[in-house]
Amino acid sequence: MEPRTVLTLIGFCVPRRAEKSRLGTFFSGSGKETTVPANSMEELVSLCKRRGFIFQGSEIYGGLQGFYDYGPLGVELKNNLKAAWWRTNVYERDDMEGLDASIIMHRQVLRHSGHEATFSDPMVDNRKTKKRYRLDHLVKDQKADVVAKVAEGIGESVENFPAVVAALVANPARASEALIAAGVRDPFSGEVGDWTEPKPFNMMFRTTIGPTADEDSFGYLRPETAQGIFTNFKNVVDSTSRRLPFGIAQIGKAFRNEITPRNFIFRVRELEQMEIEFFCAPGTDEEWHQHWLEARLSWWEAQGVPREKIQILDVPKEDLAHYSKRTYDLMYDYPTLGYEEIEGIANRSDYDLGSHTKAQGELGLVAKVEENLDSIAKLTIPHPETNKPVVPFVIEPSAGVDRAMLAVLSEAFTKETLENGSERIVLKLRPHLAPIKVAVIPLARNREEITTVARRIKADLQKLGLGRVLYEDSGNIGKAYRRHDEVGTPYCVTVDFDTVGKGEDATLTDTVTVRDRDTLAQERVRISELANWMRERLR
Ligand code: GAP
């Protein structure tokens, strides 16, 4: 369960005129001199707002902390990312099914999942400012000498930060004294705080259901999509006749009332997850855990997040979530933040199905679960070898969509200085992720013969089903190229006078200029060949 501290880490170019009488690439070579990746979160935040990827939620009323809205380009990128995950994990495998479960869940689900009792973070209040903080975040963000004093005050080594936090939580009265004595400052006021004892704060959002707001008629907004998979296990098995091993995949919203949401979309209160619960026979779980670790790393690589930017954290036993036998956290090197969790891959053993099943005592569970007298379902499946009913083990790769967005944006963000000294920002997104695949630009927006052809090309390319194609006539061509570089459009297609037979070279009639975002190369392509040209490159 997220989050933890890392311990063990196993110029755009103005269009050049076509070289006369020659089809194909006529300006090759990048024209670039230096390339610099995004090095701060601020640069990303600024681009996201400026170009319409991500906005603060409820912004016109001052904003709501921990909630973000995905704008015109953000929604396209997000949909493409989720589609890529679904393609790899559901369509390209033969052992997966999909699911879309409801967000609001029966109270008993989150009770028997263990979330009511354990899904909490320690918080402390500053009596002076009345501000509330997550204990580990508050301490981690202090100056090094203050953190050292807190560790000393609670009798732990500063080298082992999770142990410091654990000791503070275990000794609330001493913790309050240690925080005050060490001079822990309130990030809001900058002054040393008058800190309360740490208390657990359950992060689940509760909501009333129906018109009677009594104690029994409430439900929870799910804090993870996983529980909808466990509660539907029997439905999926009965309706698909699946046998072990197989998995169920789901993408959807989850809600966590984070004490300190921060770092843009890294830690939000309304998040989206892409989760797989992979069910396998007990004893085969460790092998499947390794399989999913490799599979997930290679998926990230295919999205442009390279292997060398991810460290694998073998989560220490004392830091494991209540359901986990073993967890690998994939830690991505975010700009400004450094290595933070992008995905957790947990071996949840037989904990969840074991917790939600009736007749637990007869099932020989390995995990320690609370008694369940509420469930009406027996969550077993025939063992592949013995055919006897068994509660399967579960391997769970669980990735955050918002954190994935941040990672692909940060990997794609590039600043280049061109040969002519000008600078361009370019989002080098993989084509399958790009929010706009092609921008079709009429060179003269008031010349009907040109705009008619451009609109027809836009409509024809749109029909290919490759994603969004944009008819772009909002400014001069230089500005259009600059904008599309910044939003990651892989190709710009320009319709000019040559295209409509009114240029100097009749051989260029019925051809267009296609400009490549990354290389800046421009190629003259026949309109009749454009669909195939794009299909080959945008798959
Ligand atoms: N079902 C397991 C589970 O939910 P988790 O480690 O708590 O495990 C999985 O969450 C992933 O969800 C994390 O790796 C992270 O990418 C994402 N995530 C968790 N909390 C988040 C938050 N407050 N904001 C954004 N993403 C979050």
Side-chain angles (χ1 to χ4, degrees):
M1 200 182 300
E2 207 277 335
R4 295 173 203 99
T5 312
V6 181
L7 280 186
T8 347
L9 292 172
I10 26 184
F12 84 96
C13 169
V14 283
R16 303 185 181 190
R17 273 200 69 72
E19 235 174 62
K20 294 299 162 190
S21 305
R22 188 163 66 84
L23 292 179
T25 307
F26 57 85
F27 166 51
S28 59
S30 70
K32 294 168 291 191
E33 290 201 318
T34 50
T35 296
V36 187
N39 50 17
S40 82
M41 188 68 90
E42 260 173 35
E43 278 178 318
L44 281 184
V45 175
S46 156
L47 175 83
C48 285
K49 164 96 185 169
R50 191 170 69 247
R51 292 300 185 194
F53 281 91
I54 300 165
F55 309 122
Q56 173 74 60
S58 307
E59 193 178 82
I60 63 167
Y61 289 100
L64 194 57
Q65 226 197 334
F67 297 89
Y68 285 89
D69 300 336
Y70 286 84
L73 296 181
V75 65
E76 297 290 341
L77 173 55
K78 201 178 191 208
N79 284 344
N80 293 340
L81 190 69
K82 291 190 285 184
W85 185 91
W86 198 264
R87 216 168 28 242
T88 305
N89 293 298
V90 182
Y91 295 163
E92 290 174 10
R93 296 183 64 110
D94 298 318
D95 53 4
M96 295 289 292
E97 299 289 348
L99 184 77
D100 183 13
S102 62
I103 285 170
I104 295 179
M105 305 197 83
H106 198 296
R107 182 201 170 172
Q108 297 295 0
V109 175
L110 281 313
R111 186 169 153 207
H112 289 291
S113 68
H115 284 81
E116 256 192 9
T118 65
F119 196 64
S120 55
D121 276 332
M123 58 162 197
V124 283
D125 291 299
N126 180 358
R127 294 187 192 91
K128 287 186 196 158
T129 60
K130 311 279 179 249
K131 293 281 171 196
R132 175 168 288 178
Y133 299 98
R134 210 173 110 168
L135 174 69
D136 53 337
H137 289 174
L138 177 73
V139 177
K140 199 164 122 197
D141 292 346
Q142 301 291 313
K143 289 194 173 137
D145 60 323
V146 177
V147 183
K149 280 187 203 153
V150 173
E152 196 184 327
I154 203 72
E156 284 291 339
S157 157
V158 70
E159 306 300 323
N160 189 350
F161 188 71
V164 174
V165 177
L168 291 168
V169 173
N171 307 285
R174 215 175 134 195
S176 164
E177 285 166 20
L179 297 179
I180 296 168
V184 168
R185 289 182 186 273
D186 185 326
F188 175 73
S189 64
E191 308 285 323
V192 174
D194 182 8
W195 301 107
T196 60
E197 297 181 3
K199 276 193 282 222
F201 171 78
N202 193 294
M203 292 195 291
M204 284 194 293
F205 284 97
R206 270 168 72 145
T207 187
T208 49
I209 299 170
T212 46
D214 61 54
E215 257 306 287
D216 293 331
S217 59
F218 76 87
Y220 288 111
L221 273 66
R222 62 186 181 196
E224 57 172 6
T225 64
Q227 295 305 321
I229 298 182
F230 298 130
T231 53
N232 278 292
F233 173 75
K234 191 167 156 39
N235 287 333
V236 175
V237 171
D238 291 350
S239 56
T240 63
S241 308
R242 281 283 178 186
R243 315 266 301 172
L244 292 181
F246 78 99
I248 303 178
Q250 179 170 218
I251 300 177
K253 295 270 181 148
F255 299 82
R256 299 180 179 189
N257 198 0
E258 296 279 356
I259 302 166
T260 40
R262 57 187 186 168
N263 295 326
F264 194 35
I265 52 169
F266 179 81
R267 187 174 306 287
V268 286
R269 289 176 165 143
E270 177 176 334
L271 56 133
E272 200 159 1
Q273 292 183 314
M274 307 181 279
E275 296 201 303
I276 294 164
E277 307 303 324
F278 193 83
F279 303 98
C280 59
T284 64
D285 51 309
E286 287 174 18
E287 211 175 304
W288 279 110
H289 202 184
Q290 297 306 316
H291 163 89
W292 279 106
L293 175 62
E294 288 310 318
R296 295 302 304 141
L297 287 167
S298 92
W299 184 80
W300 284 111
E301 187 112 48
Q303 312 318 309
V305 180
R307 177 71 188 79
E308 60 273 16
K309 290 286 283 292
I310 293 180
Q311 292 184 342
I312 301 162
L313 168 68
D314 192 352
V315 179
K317 282 246 168 323
E318 64 275 15
D319 252 1
L320 288 173
H322 62 280
Y323 50 72
S324 174
K325 174 181 164 189
R326 185 174 190 180
T327 295
Y328 297 123
D329 278 350
L330 305 189
M331 312 293 285
Y332 169 71
D333 191 7
Y334 287 98
T336 307
L337 310 183
Y339 284 97
E340 293 283 354
E341 181 185 333
I342 190 170
E343 170 161 3
I345 305 169
N347 181 342
R348 292 181 78 131
S349 74
D350 54 5
Y351 176 86
D352 299 275
L353 292 181
S355 287
H356 288 305
T357 192
K358 67 176 183 182
Q360 292 160 312
E362 303 160 14
L363 299 173
L365 295 174
V366 173
K368 216 166 130 276
V369 297
E370 298 284 320
E371 186 179 32
N372 189 337
L373 301 176
D374 302 303
S375 172
I376 52 170
K378 199 164 177 188
L379 303 181
T380 58
I381 190 168
H383 190 287
E385 280 155 23
T386 65
N387 229 21
K388 290 203 177 118
V390 65
V391 176
F393 267 46
V394 173
I395 304 302
E396 178 200 59
S398 170
V401 177
D402 312 86
R403 290 188 190 181
M405 291 279 290
L406 209 47
V408 295
L409 281 168
S410 122
E411 285 302 320
F413 186 102
T414 316
K415 266 198 243 165
E416 286 176 354
T417 307
L418 303 179
E419 275 166 2
N420 64 8
S422 67
E423 190 181 85
R424 74 162 184 158
I425 291 176
V426 51
L427 267 192
K428 296 192 171 179
L429 290 165
R430 297 280 163 110
H432 70 279
L433 295 178
I436 299 168
K437 307 298 177 193
V438 186
V440 182
I441 307 171
L443 197 61
R445 62 178 151 164
N446 299 324
R447 296 291 293 260
E448 206 186 329
E449 65 271 44
I450 290 184
T451 57
T452 305
V453 175
R455 285 199 186 278
R456 200 187 62 231
I457 291 174
K458 186 262 155 165
D460 288 347
L461 290 178
Q462 192 60 70
K463 283 188 202 131
L464 300 178
L466 298 168
R468 185 155 196 209
V469 178
L470 197 77
Y471 179 78
E472 172 68 76
D473 67 349
S474 57
N476 73 36
I477 192 147
K479 284 195 178 141
Y481 282 170
R482 181 186 283 270
R483 185 165 49 253
H484 284 285
D485 283 346
E486 269 202 26
V487 303
T489 307
Y491 300 107
C492 286
V493 169
T494 305
V495 178
D496 57 19
F497 288 96
D498 286 321
T499 311
V500 296
K502 295 203 171 160
E504 291 158 24
D505 187 344
T507 63
L508 295 179
T509 305
D510 292 331
T511 68
V512 288
T513 300
V514 182
R515 174 191 182 262
D516 184 302
R517 175 196 70 194
D518 297 343
T519 64
L520 299 178
Q522 297 189 17
E523 190 173 334
R524 204 76 198 181
V525 179
R526 289 196 185 285
I527 295 175
S528 57
E529 288 163 11
L530 199 55
N532 278 341
W533 195 99
M534 289 295 174
R535 244 193 232 111
E536 274 168 27
R537 289 160 180 83
L538 290 171
R539 273 264 148 79

